Amino acid sequence: MLSKLFRRRQFLLGPEYASFDGWNRYKVNNDFLITCHPDLEVSWIEKKNNRAILLGYFLDPLNPQNTNKDILEGFIEEPISTNSIISRLDLLCGRFVLIIATEENIWLFHDACGLRQVHYCIDNNNKAWCASQPNLLAERLGFEYDEDMVSFRNLPLFISGQDEFWFPCDLTPYKEIKYLLPNHYLDLRCGEVHRFWPKDSSFSDISPDKSINEVSKLLRNTIKAAALRFDLKMGISAGCDSRKSLAAAREVRERITFYTHTPIKGQEADIDIPSKLLPKLGLKHHIVDLQPMDEEFKKYFQINNTWPRERHGHIAYSFMKYFGTECVVLNSNISEYSGVWYWLPKSKINGRNLAMLRLLNHRKIIEEMEKWIRDARPACEAAGMNILVLYDLELRSRWVSQALAEYDIAFDTFNPFNNRHLFSLELSVDEKIRQGRSLYLPKKLIKKMWPEVLSEPINPEYGVINKFKNFILTRKFLFPITRNIRYLRQKRLFNKTIV
């Protein structure tokens, strides 16, 4: 069984096949060949000289019963263009890589938050390669670690455990290999990347009630589609993300297994709250005890990932021991981006201060943040989008995509919030209503879908000091003061060291 775990659910795309035993092979055309682990689902549609290849899965909230092939058919209806592809993708959820090949073009897209990772590079023969992990490309093409990224990985911030390591912007451990960011597609013929979202038509001015009505439909139907197709497990904590998913799962709750893994010290509410809430709703609560990886599993976990985080290996191993290897886990991260968590004075939005928001005090990261701003700012200005929301949605989502790739060794993942149309609906509500840590809109959404889910508090604070701190941070009238205090504190901490 352990050989099954070798680079599980990974793929390689390029001018040559990989020579891994038992992996599946697909020929897109004479220039591009795909090698896939057998547990990565592949769907293929061909009409005339047009091909659509899906690695992973689609879910259509407008038609929950549709299969991957049902959805894939629409992508090769002529005329085929990047605009027609993007228009169809905006309405879909899933975790996927989509390749569209015509006689003249070959394009690669992925899901809204890039949760099915794509890394790419150009070889010495000017040929494009892509893979789910950068180390797969590096081994194939002989690349070495970038010294800048090694020093970034060794920042005290990460070594001390103050924050968990993640790759910002399109960086990888190798200079030659880049990460395909969300809202971009790759032209495989020339190896060029193009941004396609946000755009001037991405948002409108809608009321909170209208947004909630539409978002609730999308979430309910997306989870219904997943529950009809997969053996679905849903993680539940004390937080807001998983509470929204739980409320949206009301119609199909009998088809889902609900669980919590034992929390780290200081986060006991993440098990206390689900243990009270789920029985109230008539649902069984499974508790998965976290345990360290055994040596054999750890070997595969380290091979499968590029600079993996050990804690995610422990989670994957513990989950596999409890549930086995053949299921899909509903993950609810990324849902809180619409709350406008980050703030900077408008005149101070630059690469240095974007790095400061996460205390990434490294010159290379500051330079890359500045490049990202140059790419993102015109699109945000055209769309009327807060660039700090895009920062959260597009860059911080890399923390999530890395985690899901690490979990691939044990289970595939589904996130119902990974939908660009849902982003547009939520971000079309007046930002003044969404800013800060207010639970006003999330609670309205939950109440719309399943009011009883609010019978236990969301992220309760224990202790007088923590309760007072939470009270201050969630008072909207104090938000201008608290955000400035936070900004000045981050600035002071950031100025201490720049590597």
Side-chain angles (χ1 to χ4, degrees):
M1 192 275 286
L2 284 171
S3 62
K4 170 191 181 72
L5 305 184
F6 173 73
R7 288 184 160 144
R8 194 175 186 203
R9 298 189 174 93
Q10 295 192 24
F11 72 89
L12 178 72
L13 166 69
E16 300 171 7
Y17 289 119
S19 56
F20 297 138
D21 291 343
W23 284 37
N24 298 321
R25 295 181 170 190
Y26 305 88
K27 182 177 180 180
V28 182
N29 58 24
N30 290 332
D31 296 317
F32 292 100
L33 310 172
I34 304 173
T35 317
C36 290
H37 186 282
D39 286 344
L40 177 59
E41 187 176 2
V42 178
S43 305
W44 180 294
I45 294 286
E46 185 170 355
K47 288 183 181 177
K48 300 179 182 177
N49 293 317
N50 302 320
R51 298 181 181 90
I53 304 101
L54 181 72
L55 311 181
Y57 63 89
F58 286 139
L59 294 170
D60 182 354
L62 302 182
N63 301 282
Q65 74 285 350
N66 279 2
T67 66
N68 287 334
K69 284 198 172 182
D70 292 334
I71 302 168
L72 205 54
E73 289 274 0
F75 284 96
I76 51 175
E77 291 178 359
E78 294 185 328
I80 300 172
S81 67
T82 54
N83 285 338
S84 70
I85 296 166
I86 292 162
S87 178
R88 290 182 181 277
L89 285 177
D90 276 354
L91 298 171
L92 299 176
C93 189
R95 186 168 175 242
F96 59 82
V97 175
L98 173 66
I99 301 160
I100 304 293
T102 67
E103 286 186 340
E104 297 82 21
N105 298 291
I106 178 165
W107 301 300
L108 184 148
F109 296 81
H110 54 5
D111 56 79
C113 279
L115 300 186
R116 184 77 67 187
Q117 294 190 122
V118 175
H119 300 85
Y120 65 94
C121 65
I122 305 298
D123 68 13
N124 292 332
N125 297 316
N126 208 33
K127 299 290 186 180
W129 291 78
C130 298
S132 42
Q133 283 287 338
N135 63 359
L136 192 51
L137 293 172
E139 291 169 17
R140 184 82 184 189
L141 300 171
F143 299 142
E144 300 292 336
Y145 287 150
D146 179 355
E147 291 183 5
D148 280 336
M149 290 306 294
V150 172
S151 70
F152 171 63
R153 185 193 187 192
N154 291 325
L155 283 180
L157 175 75
F158 302 131
I159 298 298
S160 68
Q162 184 181 347
D163 195 5
E164 194 169 53
F165 176 79
W166 61 289
F167 293 104
C169 302
D170 63 355
L171 295 169
T172 78
Y174 312 93
K175 285 182 180 178
E176 301 88 348
I177 302 171
K178 299 298 180 184
Y179 174 85
L180 183 63
L181 284 170
N183 310 313
H184 295 72
Y185 72 87
L186 177 61
D187 186 331
L188 287 167
R189 291 282 190 204
C190 59
E192 292 181 356
V193 172
H194 303 274
R195 174 182 287 282
F196 61 85
W197 193 90
K199 53 191 176 184
D200 57 6
S201 60
S202 293
F203 310 106
S204 57
D205 184 11
I206 62 177
S207 69
D209 286 343
K210 182 176 180 181
S211 173
I212 285 169
N213 285 339
E214 294 301 315
V215 168
S216 66
K217 291 175 189 174
L218 277 177
L219 288 177
R220 291 197 310 267
N221 282 346
T222 302
I223 293 178
K224 179 180 179 180
L228 291 173
R229 194 184 300 185
F230 304 131
D231 175 12
L232 200 60
K233 317 296 183 187
M234 183 187 296
I236 303 292
S237 69
C240 188
D241 294 348
S242 64
R243 202 71 64 91
K244 286 188 281 189
S245 294
L246 176 59
R250 182 177 188 176
E251 184 182 345
V252 291
R253 61 189 182 276
E254 301 301 329
R255 303 179 69 101
I256 301 173
T257 302
F258 299 93
Y259 77 94
T260 306
H261 61 69
T262 48
I264 60 176
K265 187 177 180 180
Q267 297 180 359
E268 287 77 9
D270 279 341
I271 199 164
D272 292 344
I273 295 299
S275 295
K276 297 174 184 176
L277 177 62
L278 290 170
K280 284 184 182 180
L281 302 174
L283 302 172
K284 184 175 180 180
H285 183 212
H286 294 260
I287 298 175
V288 178
D289 289 322
L290 284 188
Q291 53 186 301
M293 296 177 275
D294 66 24
E295 289 305 312
E296 193 71 10
F297 184 93
K298 187 174 183 178
K299 178 183 73 175
Y300 283 102
F301 180 70
Q302 291 176 335
I303 290 170
N304 289 9
N305 299 285
T306 310
W307 293 357
R309 285 85 58 95
E310 191 169 81
R311 178 171 173 267
H312 296 266
H314 299 326
I315 292 171
Y317 178 74
S318 304
F319 187 95
M320 186 184 75
K321 285 298 208 180
Y322 191 94
F323 286 118
T325 60
E326 305 304 324
C327 60
V328 174
V329 171
L330 191 157
N331 175 286
S332 300
N333 292 126
I334 75 173
S335 89
E336 294 183 339
Y337 67 90
S338 61
V340 196
W341 289 79
Y342 296 107
W343 179 84
L344 290 170
K346 285 187 178 179
S347 63
K348 302 292 186 181
I349 298 177
N350 54 41
R352 186 180 187 279
N353 283 337
L354 282 191
M356 182 192 72
L357 289 174
R358 300 299 306 184
L359 299 179
L360 304 178
N361 47 356
H362 192 286
R363 288 186 176 85
K364 174 68 173 177
I365 306 308
I366 293 171
E367 292 171 6
E368 293 300 320
M369 290 290 187
E370 198 63 54
K371 290 179 187 176
W372 180 82
I373 288 176
R374 288 198 295 270
D375 169 61
R377 181 171 272 144
C380 286
E381 289 176 351
M385 182 179 188
N386 183 339
I387 196 170
L388 298 180
V389 172
L390 188 65
Y391 165 87
D392 193 11
L393 193 57
E394 196 164 283
L395 298 192
R396 271 300 284 170
S397 64
R398 283 205 67 181
W399 179 90
V400 182
S401 68
Q402 282 176 237
L404 303 195
E406 288 163 335
Y407 296 150
D408 270 339
I409 190 173
F411 52 84
D412 206 342
T413 318
F414 152 65
N415 190 306
F417 303 96
N418 190 26
N419 180 303
R420 203 169 281 108
H421 182 52
L422 185 145
F423 303 159
S424 295
L425 287 169
E426 292 198 323
L427 297 176
S428 290
V429 175
D430 188 340
E431 188 171 300
K432 291 178 182 178
I433 299 173
R434 296 184 284 110
Q435 66 185 1
R437 300 187 181 189
S438 171
L439 291 175
Y440 171 71
L441 286 177
K443 283 186 173 180
K444 283 196 71 166
L445 177 63
I446 293 167
K447 191 173 182 179
K448 171 80 176 176
M449 297 186 291
W450 194 357
E452 290 78 11
V453 166
L454 292 172
S455 62
E456 289 291 332
I458 294 173
N459 282 332
E461 294 290 352
Y462 299 137
V464 175
I465 294 175
N466 286 336
K467 286 181 179 179
F468 178 74
K469 180 180 177 182
N470 185 62
F471 175 83
I472 295 296
L473 291 174
T474 55
R475 299 306 100 178
K476 290 191 70 174
F477 69 91
L478 291 175
F479 186 58
I481 298 171
T482 57
R483 71 185 183 187
N484 275 285
I485 292 172
R486 185 184 302 161
Y487 166 67
L488 293 173
R489 179 176 177 273
Q490 287 172 318
K491 188 175 180 180
R492 178 177 58 81
L493 291 171
F494 193 77
N495 286 338
K496 285 185 177 180
T497 309
I498 294 184
V499 178

mmCIF file of all heavy atoms in Angstrom, residues 157-179:
data_model
loop_
_atom_site.group_PDB
_atom_site.id
_atom_site.type_symbol
_atom_site.label_atom_id
_atom_site.label_comp_id
_atom_site.label_asym_id
_atom_site.label_seq_id
_atom_site.Cartn_x
_atom_site.Cartn_y
_atom_site.Cartn_z
ATOM 1 N N LEU A 157 11.318 33.988 12.027
ATOM 2 C CA LEU A 157 9.860 33.899 12.058
ATOM 3 C C LEU A 157 9.392 32.459 11.901
ATOM 4 O O LEU A 157 8.460 32.008 12.585
ATOM 5 C CB LEU A 157 9.283 34.762 10.927
ATOM 6 C CG LEU A 157 7.775 34.732 10.706
ATOM 7 C CD1 LEU A 157 7.065 35.523 11.789
ATOM 8 C CD2 LEU A 157 7.434 35.295 9.324
ATOM 9 N N PHE A 158 10.023 31.725 10.990
ATOM 10 C CA PHE A 158 9.640 30.341 10.714
ATOM 11 C C PHE A 158 10.354 29.360 11.642
ATOM 12 O O PHE A 158 9.749 28.397 12.123
ATOM 13 C CB PHE A 158 9.928 29.989 9.257
ATOM 14 C CG PHE A 158 9.236 30.880 8.261
ATOM 15 C CD1 PHE A 158 9.933 31.462 7.207
ATOM 16 C CD2 PHE A 158 7.880 31.148 8.366
ATOM 17 C CE1 PHE A 158 9.305 32.275 6.288
ATOM 18 C CE2 PHE A 158 7.234 31.961 7.454
ATOM 19 C CZ PHE A 158 7.954 32.531 6.408
ATOM 20 N N ILE A 159 11.635 29.585 11.871
ATOM 21 C CA ILE A 159 12.411 28.673 12.709
ATOM 22 C C ILE A 159 11.831 28.617 14.123
ATOM 23 O O ILE A 159 11.776 27.555 14.756
ATOM 24 C CB ILE A 159 13.898 29.096 12.758
ATOM 25 C CG1 ILE A 159 14.524 29.036 11.347
ATOM 26 C CG2 ILE A 159 14.675 28.227 13.731
ATOM 27 C CD1 ILE A 159 14.540 27.659 10.727
ATOM 28 N N SER A 160 11.374 29.769 14.626
ATOM 29 C CA SER A 160 10.832 29.839 15.982
ATOM 30 C C SER A 160 9.426 29.270 16.088
ATOM 31 O O SER A 160 8.926 29.051 17.194
ATOM 32 C CB SER A 160 10.821 31.290 16.460
ATOM 33 O OG SER A 160 9.866 32.046 15.699
ATOM 34 N N GLY A 161 8.756 29.073 14.941
ATOM 35 C CA GLY A 161 7.378 28.595 14.966
ATOM 36 C C GLY A 161 6.365 29.708 15.136
ATOM 37 O O GLY A 161 5.168 29.451 15.299
ATOM 38 N N GLN A 162 6.815 30.975 15.065
ATOM 39 C CA GLN A 162 5.892 32.101 15.179
ATOM 40 C C GLN A 162 4.895 32.096 14.025
ATOM 41 O O GLN A 162 3.740 32.484 14.187
ATOM 42 C CB GLN A 162 6.681 33.414 15.204
ATOM 43 C CG GLN A 162 5.823 34.658 15.409
ATOM 44 C CD GLN A 162 6.659 35.928 15.390
ATOM 45 O OE1 GLN A 162 7.889 35.892 15.469
ATOM 46 N NE2 GLN A 162 5.992 37.074 15.291
ATOM 47 N N ASP A 163 5.332 31.685 12.858
ATOM 48 C CA ASP A 163 4.450 31.505 11.707
ATOM 49 C C ASP A 163 4.885 30.237 10.991
ATOM 50 O O ASP A 163 6.033 29.806 11.109
ATOM 51 C CB ASP A 163 4.523 32.702 10.757
ATOM 52 C CG ASP A 163 3.381 32.741 9.745
ATOM 53 O OD1 ASP A 163 2.467 31.888 9.841
ATOM 54 O OD2 ASP A 163 3.379 33.618 8.862
ATOM 55 N N GLU A 164 3.959 29.626 10.259
ATOM 56 C CA GLU A 164 4.271 28.423 9.507
ATOM 57 C C GLU A 164 4.811 28.826 8.138
ATOM 58 O O GLU A 164 4.264 29.725 7.497
ATOM 59 C CB GLU A 164 3.002 27.579 9.353
ATOM 60 C CG GLU A 164 3.265 26.173 8.892
ATOM 61 C CD GLU A 164 2.016 25.315 9.015
ATOM 62 O OE1 GLU A 164 0.962 25.717 8.497
ATOM 63 O OE2 GLU A 164 2.101 24.247 9.638
ATOM 64 N N PHE A 165 5.860 28.158 7.692
ATOM 65 C CA PHE A 165 6.497 28.537 6.427
ATOM 66 C C PHE A 165 5.527 28.430 5.258
ATOM 67 O O PHE A 165 4.759 27.490 5.149
ATOM 68 C CB PHE A 165 7.720 27.645 6.163
ATOM 69 C CG PHE A 165 8.355 27.938 4.834
ATOM 70 C CD1 PHE A 165 9.184 29.035 4.691
ATOM 71 C CD2 PHE A 165 8.081 27.157 3.718
ATOM 72 C CE1 PHE A 165 9.744 29.336 3.457
ATOM 73 C CE2 PHE A 165 8.635 27.446 2.492
ATOM 74 C CZ PHE A 165 9.474 28.539 2.353
ATOM 75 N N TRP A 166 5.593 29.432 4.361
ATOM 76 C CA TRP A 166 4.815 29.391 3.117
ATOM 77 C C TRP A 166 5.567 30.184 2.056
ATOM 78 O O TRP A 166 6.406 31.023 2.345
ATOM 79 C CB TRP A 166 3.403 29.938 3.320
ATOM 80 C CG TRP A 166 3.333 31.379 3.766
ATOM 81 C CD1 TRP A 166 3.680 31.878 4.995
ATOM 82 C CD2 TRP A 166 2.907 32.504 2.998
ATOM 83 N NE1 TRP A 166 3.490 33.220 5.042
ATOM 84 C CE2 TRP A 166 3.010 33.651 3.835
ATOM 85 C CE3 TRP A 166 2.429 32.669 1.693
ATOM 86 C CZ2 TRP A 166 2.670 34.941 3.398
ATOM 87 C CZ3 TRP A 166 2.084 33.949 1.257
ATOM 88 C CH2 TRP A 166 2.201 35.063 2.104
ATOM 89 N N PHE A 167 5.275 29.874 0.792
ATOM 90 C CA PHE A 167 5.911 30.553 -0.333
ATOM 91 C C PHE A 167 5.059 31.735 -0.782
ATOM 92 O O PHE A 167 3.906 31.550 -1.180
ATOM 93 C CB PHE A 167 6.056 29.605 -1.528
ATOM 94 C CG PHE A 167 7.015 28.469 -1.316
ATOM 95 C CD1 PHE A 167 6.542 27.196 -1.067
ATOM 96 C CD2 PHE A 167 8.381 28.664 -1.381
ATOM 97 C CE1 PHE A 167 7.408 26.130 -0.884
ATOM 98 C CE2 PHE A 167 9.261 27.611 -1.194
ATOM 99 C CZ PHE A 167 8.773 26.348 -0.949
ATOM 100 N N PRO A 168 5.554 32.962 -0.751
ATOM 101 C CA PRO A 168 4.778 34.093 -1.264
ATOM 102 C C PRO A 168 4.976 34.303 -2.766
ATOM 103 O O PRO A 168 5.901 33.759 -3.374
ATOM 104 C CB PRO A 168 5.333 35.277 -0.477
ATOM 105 C CG PRO A 168 6.725 34.874 -0.118
ATOM 106 C CD PRO A 168 6.787 33.379 -0.078
ATOM 107 N N CYS A 169 4.086 35.091 -3.354
ATOM 108 C CA CYS A 169 4.129 35.449 -4.781
ATOM 109 C C CYS A 169 4.234 34.181 -5.622
ATOM 110 O O CYS A 169 3.599 33.192 -5.318
ATOM 111 C CB CYS A 169 5.256 36.437 -5.044
ATOM 112 S SG CYS A 169 5.105 37.955 -4.052
ATOM 113 N N ASP A 170 5.021 34.196 -6.707
ATOM 114 C CA ASP A 170 5.125 33.006 -7.554
ATOM 115 C C ASP A 170 6.431 32.251 -7.299
ATOM 116 O O ASP A 170 6.912 31.507 -8.149
ATOM 117 C CB ASP A 170 5.004 33.383 -9.036
ATOM 118 C CG ASP A 170 6.135 34.289 -9.525
ATOM 119 O OD1 ASP A 170 6.967 34.709 -8.700
ATOM 120 O OD2 ASP A 170 6.169 34.596 -10.730
ATOM 121 N N LEU A 171 6.984 32.419 -6.113
ATOM 122 C CA LEU A 171 8.294 31.859 -5.789
ATOM 123 C C LEU A 171 8.240 30.375 -5.473
ATOM 124 O O LEU A 171 7.238 29.862 -4.967
ATOM 125 C CB LEU A 171 8.889 32.611 -4.599
ATOM 126 C CG LEU A 171 9.213 34.083 -4.828
ATOM 127 C CD1 LEU A 171 9.528 34.766 -3.512
ATOM 128 C CD2 LEU A 171 10.383 34.233 -5.806
ATOM 129 N N THR A 172 9.342 29.706 -5.754
ATOM 130 C CA THR A 172 9.578 28.321 -5.364
ATOM 131 C C THR A 172 11.027 28.243 -4.866
ATOM 132 O O THR A 172 11.759 29.242 -4.944
ATOM 133 C CB THR A 172 9.391 27.349 -6.542
ATOM 134 O OG1 THR A 172 10.549 27.394 -7.397
ATOM 135 C CG2 THR A 172 8.138 27.665 -7.347
ATOM 136 N N PRO A 173 11.489 27.101 -4.385
ATOM 137 C CA PRO A 173 12.885 27.017 -3.956
ATOM 138 C C PRO A 173 13.900 27.124 -5.103
ATOM 139 O O PRO A 173 15.105 27.147 -4.844
ATOM 140 C CB PRO A 173 12.974 25.634 -3.301
ATOM 141 C CG PRO A 173 11.587 25.311 -2.903
ATOM 142 C CD PRO A 173 10.735 25.902 -3.980
ATOM 143 N N TYR A 174 13.440 27.185 -6.348
ATOM 144 C CA TYR A 174 14.332 27.187 -7.506
ATOM 145 C C TYR A 174 14.083 28.435 -8.349
ATOM 146 O O TYR A 174 12.937 28.771 -8.659
ATOM 147 C CB TYR A 174 14.082 25.939 -8.365
ATOM 148 C CG TYR A 174 14.024 24.660 -7.569
ATOM 149 C CD1 TYR A 174 12.805 24.163 -7.097
ATOM 150 C CD2 TYR A 174 15.180 23.949 -7.271
ATOM 151 C CE1 TYR A 174 12.743 22.996 -6.361
ATOM 152 C CE2 TYR A 174 15.127 22.770 -6.524
ATOM 153 C CZ TYR A 174 13.893 22.297 -6.064
ATOM 154 O OH TYR A 174 13.831 21.140 -5.327
ATOM 155 N N LYS A 175 15.172 29.121 -8.740
ATOM 156 C CA LYS A 175 15.028 30.335 -9.550
ATOM 157 C C LYS A 175 14.312 30.056 -10.863
ATOM 158 O O LYS A 175 13.540 30.881 -11.364
ATOM 159 C CB LYS A 175 16.413 30.924 -9.864
ATOM 160 C CG LYS A 175 17.078 31.634 -8.711
ATOM 161 C CD LYS A 175 18.422 32.220 -9.148
ATOM 162 C CE LYS A 175 19.101 32.930 -7.981
ATOM 163 N NZ LYS A 175 20.433 33.472 -8.362
ATOM 164 N N GLU A 176 14.568 28.891 -11.441
ATOM 165 C CA GLU A 176 14.057 28.591 -12.777
ATOM 166 C C GLU A 176 12.570 28.219 -12.788
ATOM 167 O O GLU A 176 11.938 28.193 -13.846
ATOM 168 C CB GLU A 176 14.850 27.426 -13.387
ATOM 169 C CG GLU A 176 16.344 27.686 -13.520
ATOM 170 C CD GLU A 176 17.145 27.312 -12.267
ATOM 171 O OE1 GLU A 176 16.529 27.061 -11.207
ATOM 172 O OE2 GLU A 176 18.384 27.282 -12.361
ATOM 173 N N ILE A 177 12.019 27.881 -11.632
ATOM 174 C CA ILE A 177 10.650 27.359 -11.549
ATOM 175 C C ILE A 177 9.756 28.386 -10.867
ATOM 176 O O ILE A 177 10.110 28.938 -9.820
ATOM 177 C CB ILE A 177 10.609 26.031 -10.769
ATOM 178 C CG1 ILE A 177 11.520 25.006 -11.432
ATOM 179 C CG2 ILE A 177 9.176 25.508 -10.661
ATOM 180 C CD1 ILE A 177 11.715 23.737 -10.619
ATOM 181 N N LYS A 178 8.603 28.644 -11.473
ATOM 182 C CA LYS A 178 7.628 29.573 -10.911
ATOM 183 C C LYS A 178 6.323 28.850 -10.602
ATOM 184 O O LYS A 178 6.044 27.774 -11.124
ATOM 185 C CB LYS A 178 7.361 30.731 -11.889
ATOM 186 C CG LYS A 178 8.588 31.570 -12.210
ATOM 187 C CD LYS A 178 9.155 32.243 -10.967
ATOM 188 C CE LYS A 178 10.380 33.093 -11.288
ATOM 189 N NZ LYS A 178 10.981 33.657 -10.057
ATOM 190 N N TYR A 179 5.536 29.497 -9.758
ATOM 191 C CA TYR A 179 4.216 28.988 -9.368
ATOM 192 C C TYR A 179 3.163 29.776 -10.130
ATOM 193 O O TYR A 179 3.244 31.013 -10.216
ATOM 194 C CB TYR A 179 4.050 29.184 -7.864
ATOM 195 C CG TYR A 179 2.693 28.852 -7.310
ATOM 196 C CD1 TYR A 179 2.366 27.552 -6.965
ATOM 197 C CD2 TYR A 179 1.741 29.849 -7.102
ATOM 198 C CE1 TYR A 179 1.118 27.241 -6.423
ATOM 199 C CE2 TYR A 179 0.499 29.554 -6.563
ATOM 200 C CZ TYR A 179 0.200 28.254 -6.230
ATOM 201 O OH TYR A 179 -1.036 27.962 -5.698
#
